[in-house]
Amino acid sequence: MLTFIPTPIGNPQDITIRAMKLFEKAELFLCEDTRQTKRLLRLLEERFDMVYPDALFYSFNEHNGEERLEEFGSILGEKEVVYVSDAGMPIISDPGQILVAYAQENHIPYDVLPGASAVTTAYAASGFEEGKFLFYAFLPHKGKERSAALSEAMSNGYNTVLYEAPHRLEKLLDEIVVLDGDRELFLAKEISKKYQKYYRGTAKSLNEEFKELNIRGEWVVIIKARKSIEKSLSFTEVLSLDLPPKPKAKLLAQLSDKSVKEWYAELTQTT
């Protein structure tokens, strides 16, 4: 069995009993960083009496994932194999995704354990009432790609969750203020760690507050959806409007695969 196991995002007590039992019997560990995984296992051994596994450890990341599949793909269904990322839920924004795809394509049995996730933890702590949200992970670092991604995150109509590194958090707040300084945000710092902290307020007020704060640590940023007061007309509603053929054809062309010329011809034939 190939098992994807979430690891604590801060407090080691967030590990599950099921995860530790699977660690104990694992024969092969595929890790985002073998050093980080071994450090966690030693800690679990010392604090919770987990038996340190007699296993092989290999890195599996975005740089060597395909190479590791060529190396170990044939034994994934024959041994007890564990995949872990450095912290939190594996696979999401993580190279483990290609391992899942490989298992599916080659009919290798696999399982994904539930566990710690910064996304859902931060959203639950936000107090935002809507149950629906979008997860954008990390925005591009710079350039037009970053501007376009942030603009989309601000205007998609849903509460949107981002990850941000501490050295770019101030830049992100500046960028959001430019787009909409009154937009409500929720920020979670170092979830489940010693210096965990929550902040909620407008982008402008938080930006001013953060100029005086130590913003070290990993951050989750939740952008509250802007309430739209615009009403969108459906295709059927536009079709039934009492409008001259030309403007009506332009509207219908925006909502269909037909051109303005085709719609104009059809509308003038039926009138």
Side-chain angles (χ1 to χ4, degrees), residues 133-197:
F133 64 89
L134 297 180
F135 175 52
Y136 274 46
F138 286 97
L139 295 176
H141 293 174
K142 56 186 178 180
K144 293 181 179 179
E145 293 82 5
R146 181 178 176 87
S147 299
L150 179 58
S151 178
E152 181 182 306
M154 295 281 290
S155 60
N156 60 39
Y158 293 91
N159 296 337
T160 300
V161 184
L162 309 175
Y163 287 160
E164 193 54 278
H167 60 280
R168 280 191 297 271
L169 181 64
E170 193 172 327
K171 175 184 178 182
L172 176 64
L173 291 175
D174 287 339
E175 291 168 330
I176 294 175
V177 168
V178 169
L179 293 174
D180 185 356
D182 293 326
R183 186 69 64 90
E184 189 169 9
L185 306 177
F186 179 83
L187 279 66
K189 173 186 178 180
E190 294 283 271
I191 291 175
S192 191
K193 298 183 178 71
K194 182 178 180 180
Y195 297 106
Q196 172 182 293
K197 185 76 174 177

Side-chain angles (χ1 to χ4, degrees), residues 155 157 183 225-233:
S155 60
R183 186 69 64 90
R226 180 173 54 206
K227 296 295 183 183
S228 175
I229 58 173
E230 297 179 359
K231 183 181 185 301
S232 297
L233 292 175

Side-chain angles (χ1 to χ4, degrees), residues 19-60:
M20 287 195 292
K21 287 183 175 179
L22 287 168
F23 285 156
E24 289 178 334
K25 69 176 186 178
E27 299 171 89
L28 171 63
F29 278 79
L30 298 177
C31 322
E32 188 175 359
D33 185 328
T34 58
R35 296 165 300 178
Q36 184 74 11
T37 300
K38 288 178 181 179
R39 190 178 301 119
L40 172 65
L41 296 176
R42 290 296 183 196
L43 189 151
L44 297 177
E45 179 187 36
E46 293 168 6
R47 295 192 186 180
F48 307 115
D49 297 321
M50 188 193 81
V51 177
Y52 194 92
D54 181 16
L56 298 173
F57 292 80
Y58 288 90
S59 64
F60 189 103

Side-chain angles (χ1 to χ4, degrees), residues 3-7 30-33 37 60-63 65 82-101 112 135 137-138 163:
T3 309
F4 297 82
I5 301 181
T7 53
L30 298 177
C31 322
E32 188 175 359
D33 185 328
T37 300
F60 189 103
N61 52 51
E62 64 271 20
H63 304 297
V82 162
Y83 174 85
V84 292
S85 55
D86 286 348
M89 194 70 189
I91 310 167
I92 308 298
S93 297
D94 178 87
Q97 183 275 330
I98 63 172
L99 195 51
V100 172
V112 180
F135 175 52
F138 286 97
Y163 287 160

